[in-house]
Amino acid sequence: MGSVVGGRAEAFDDDWNTEQAVIRNDGTCFEPDALAGLDAFSHLEVVFRFHFVDPASVTTSARHPRDNPEWPKAGIFAQRSKNRPNLLGVSRCRLLAVDGLDLHVRGLDAIDGSPVLDVKPCMAEFGPQGETVQPEWATELMRASYLIRPFSVSESSLTISRF
């Protein structure tokens, strides 16, 4: 449906929350009214293709996430590596603006030129219902990926800084 313009020119794992880019939708396929009402949402879910991944680097078995031996081996479907068998990425990002067929976003972990296959608004009801659970290694990994600060106590409540 379009492609990522701007942001990172190459893939590296950390600090995605600082990245701003544009999802430029194909004007030969869509009219600007295809995005009507999208500006009422704060976040998007974006499906894209990892177009620079070398097929020889695709992983189909377990490995240490980020090749960190401190973390346990996890199968490819228990991690969010770009070296996936289907080469598809799914990311949630903040929608900054809608300008014609351009979606200005922050925190999209796709690189410049990535083909965008679909965009959906994030709706709270489609998020996980109930408590979510993940291993500690995943929390450590995501702190670096999105500059998420550890939980801190503030006036008897736990808070986390997110984008």
Side-chain angles (χ1 to χ4, degrees), residues 79-94:
Q79 48 185 302
R80 296 182 64 100
S81 170
K82 65 185 174 296
N83 299 327
R84 312 183 69 70
N86 61 18
L87 301 179
L88 294 179
V90 177
S91 184
R92 290 185 177 177
C93 58
R94 180 171 290 280

Side-chain angles (χ1 to χ4, degrees), residues 8 12 56 59 74 85 104 130:
R8 290 188 185 172
F12 56 93
T59 303
H104 297 261

Side-chain angles (χ1 to χ4, degrees), residues 5-76:
V5 176
R8 290 188 185 172
E10 59 185 74
F12 56 93
D13 289 322
D14 294 332
D15 304 332
W16 285 104
N17 191 42
T18 62
E19 296 297 328
Q20 291 192 29
V22 174
I23 297 170
R24 180 149 299 143
N25 291 291
D26 185 347
T28 64
C29 297
F30 302 102
E31 297 291 327
D33 68 352
L35 303 178
L38 195 58
D39 60 350
F41 293 88
S42 64
H43 290 79
L44 303 175
E45 290 180 310
V46 180
V47 180
F48 59 94
R49 188 168 181 277
F50 293 118
H51 67 299
F52 281 147
V53 170
D54 177 358
S57 69
V58 168
T59 303
T60 58
S61 61
R63 67 176 183 84
H64 295 285
R66 300 242 183 117
D67 295 320
N68 182 342
E70 301 284 318
W71 294 334
K73 284 188 174 183
I76 189 60

